[in-house]
Amino acid sequence: MKLFALLLIALTQVASAFAGEEGKPAYDPDQFFRAQILPILQTRCYECHSREHEVEGELLLDSKVGWQTGGENGPAVKPGDLKNSPLIQAIRHLDSDSAMPPKKKLPPIEIALLETWVLLGAPDPRLEPSRK
């Protein structure tokens, strides 16, 4: 029940991006990424998975090409596919060997937002690594 509520909150945030003028859809996938996903990656993942720090597992998450190329285990995200996206499996902490972040699981709302992002096709406008 709690998971359902969190997914509902995440989807409500996504749905609010759809409300345009005169009932026209205004969903902007790039804006969704910048407003909801990028802050999670920056605060929770960049410490170990960006060019600004020592890279763990050869995985960079500071650019689209980084997660598309992936690390030691291939692409980190398979757009539209939660089950086969290693990033999603890692943040769910289903396997203690690959759990990310390793010390503490992400808050459920952040997991739900990342899952929503993958289900939406993992939109990511970044072409170059970000600079903090």
Side-chain angles (χ1 to χ4, degrees):
M1 185 69 153
K2 185 177 179 181
L3 177 60
F4 176 75
L6 289 169
L7 284 173
L8 185 60
I9 291 168
L11 291 173
T12 300
Q13 290 182 5
V14 172
S16 68
F18 281 90
E21 291 181 32
E22 300 175 22
K24 295 179 184 176
Y27 171 66
D28 180 348
D30 292 348
Q31 179 60 27
F32 172 72
F33 177 82
R34 285 187 184 102
Q36 303 295 330
I37 304 307
L38 186 57
I40 297 170
L41 295 176
Q42 289 172 329
T43 60
R44 308 292 189 177
C45 307
Y46 278 18
E47 184 177 336
C48 298
H49 298 289
S50 74
R51 286 176 172 75
E52 299 295 319
H53 301 278
E54 186 175 333
V55 179
E56 299 288 333
E58 300 176 22
L59 174 61
L60 290 169
L61 296 175
D62 59 357
S63 68
K64 182 176 185 175
V65 71
W67 62 257
Q68 286 178 325
T69 302
E72 297 168 347
N73 299 317
V77 172
K78 298 202 184 226
D81 187 350
L82 295 176
K83 184 177 179 181
N84 292 305
S85 290
L87 176 75
I88 298 302
Q89 299 309 309
I91 64 169
R92 287 177 172 171
H93 278 223
L94 299 177
D95 175 9
S96 60
D97 292 335
S98 63
M100 291 292 143
K103 293 179 182 173
K104 185 177 180 187
K105 191 173 180 179
L106 295 176
I109 187 66
E110 292 182 6
I111 294 171
L113 284 166
L114 288 166
E115 290 172 343
T116 301
W117 172 63
V118 170
L119 289 173
L120 289 171
D124 183 345
R126 302 172 300 161
L127 300 176
E128 298 294 324
S130 56
R131 305 281 184 242
K132 277 190 144 183

